[in-house]
Amino acid sequence: MQKKYDQGNTRKKSQPCSNRKSPFWLLCVLSGTLVSVIISLVILVLMHTKDRSKRSDGSASTISTLKSTVNSQNTTNAGITFRKIPVNELSPEMVQVVLLDKGFFDSGRNSSGPGFIHEFEILNSGKVVHDRACGLTWQQSGSQENMTFQEAKRYIMKLNNNRFADSGDWRLPTLEESMSLMEPTKKNGNLHISPLFNQSQRSIWTSDSRRSSLPWVIWFDSGYCDYVYNDSNVRHHVRAVR
């Protein structure tokens, strides 16, 4: 009987966590809870790391897509490419890609940009400035007055109807083309543009839009680009290109 008693007593001592009266019971419960918490934390850390990796891959893919979008349908000359087809949903992210990719100066978005290196020449009795570096030909001056976006379109039509500088294919420049004129320092009075150009056009319309009612505008006086509301109270100059 003594032997059986000892065996039973041994079994009770070997299972302290099953006896709520045991001083070890609470410690066992806390230990089990702590293990569960640690496992949960490890799972959360692993999931967060995986999610960050996916976002990183997604960002790289987005930048690649943006470059493909903004650099399609270009004007090419001597290896230099500028987009000439307007984009109706040109986002600030797309503009940022263009500025960095082309090295264009923008006082807000790319203040360290070196700007584009031109090879300007004056043609057609001073009416136009041709850039041999990229093949674009610009109005030396542009519109003499500020005008709305709709008026800017009519101004372009008038240039072509009158065959300004013996040409009938003038158009509003894209943001990419316009920003190629932006100089990193003020060279023309208080303007970030070559002194070969007239000083009256301190800001110009582009053919690109953030959305249908938000055209992009270039400010040569402040050295940056941004989109604006298209209404009768917003007026800028035109510098046509071909």
Side-chain angles (χ1 to χ4, degrees):
M1 294 295 294
Q2 185 64 34
K3 184 177 181 180
K4 290 181 179 180
Y5 174 77
D6 292 341
Q7 290 176 343
N9 198 31
T10 299
R11 286 194 298 272
K12 289 181 180 180
K13 289 181 179 180
S14 65
Q15 301 175 5
C17 291
S18 63
N19 184 3
R20 295 193 175 188
K21 295 181 179 182
S22 169
F24 297 100
W25 178 78
L26 182 59
L27 180 61
C28 292
V29 172
L30 292 175
S31 298
T33 302
L34 182 60
V35 170
S36 298
V37 170
I38 291 174
I39 292 174
S40 298
L41 288 174
V42 170
I43 292 174
L44 287 174
V45 170
L46 291 175
M47 291 178 65
H48 180 68
T49 301
K50 184 177 181 180
D51 184 57
R52 287 184 62 185
S53 176
K54 286 183 177 180
R55 285 201 301 268
S56 177
D57 293 341
S59 297
S61 176
T62 299
I63 294 296
S64 177
T65 300
L66 290 177
K67 283 187 176 182
S68 175
T69 300
V70 299
N71 287 327
S72 62
Q73 299 176 314
N74 298 321
T75 298
T76 306
N77 188 68
I80 305 299
T81 60
F82 294 142
R83 176 177 53 80
K84 66 177 182 179
I85 304 300
V87 174
N88 293 325
E89 294 186 1
L90 187 64
S91 68
E93 292 78 13
M94 288 180 174
V95 170
Q96 187 71 37
V97 170
V98 170
L99 297 176
L100 295 175
D101 187 47
K102 303 295 184 182
F104 294 151
F105 171 81
D106 183 288
S107 59
R109 292 182 168 88
N110 191 26
S111 59
S112 61
F116 181 65
I117 299 176
H118 305 280
E119 296 180 22
F120 287 138
E121 59 179 339
I122 303 294
L123 299 176
N124 210 305
S125 302
K127 292 181 179 180
V128 301
V129 178
H130 178 68
D131 190 352
R132 290 177 295 182
C134 62
L136 293 175
T137 299
W138 297 89
Q139 276 186 294
Q140 187 278 335
S141 58
S143 65
Q144 296 304 306
E145 298 178 355
N146 285 324
M147 54 186 62
T148 67
F149 189 60
Q150 295 303 319
E151 290 171 341
K153 292 180 179 179
R154 291 195 289 270
Y155 174 85
I156 294 294
M157 292 179 61
K158 185 176 180 180
L159 286 181
N160 289 324
N161 290 336
N162 294 336
R163 293 194 60 80
F164 174 78
D166 299 322
S167 300
D169 56 350
W170 295 100
R171 56 184 172 80
L172 287 176
T174 63
L175 179 140
E176 187 168 330
E177 291 171 326
S178 302
M179 288 302 290
S180 74
L181 296 178
M182 189 73 73
E183 296 286 348
T185 58
K186 292 183 177 181
K187 295 184 176 182
N188 188 2
N190 291 320
L191 302 181
H192 291 263
I193 193 172
S194 168
L196 292 178
F197 291 95
N198 188 283
Q199 296 182 12
S200 300
Q201 295 73 32
R202 305 179 69 83
S203 61
I204 62 171
W205 292 105
T206 77
S207 58
D208 292 324
S209 299
R210 173 68 179 90
R211 289 191 292 275
S212 59
S213 60
L214 298 173
W216 283 89
V217 172
I218 311 298
W219 280 269
F220 292 110
D221 52 358
S222 301
Y224 73 98
C225 61
D226 206 350
Y227 56 88
V228 298
Y229 284 100
N230 177 16
D231 59 43
S232 59
N233 295 320
V234 179
R235 294 172 174 271
H236 298 280
H237 284 93
V238 175
R239 174 164 282 128
V241 72
R242 53 178 296 271

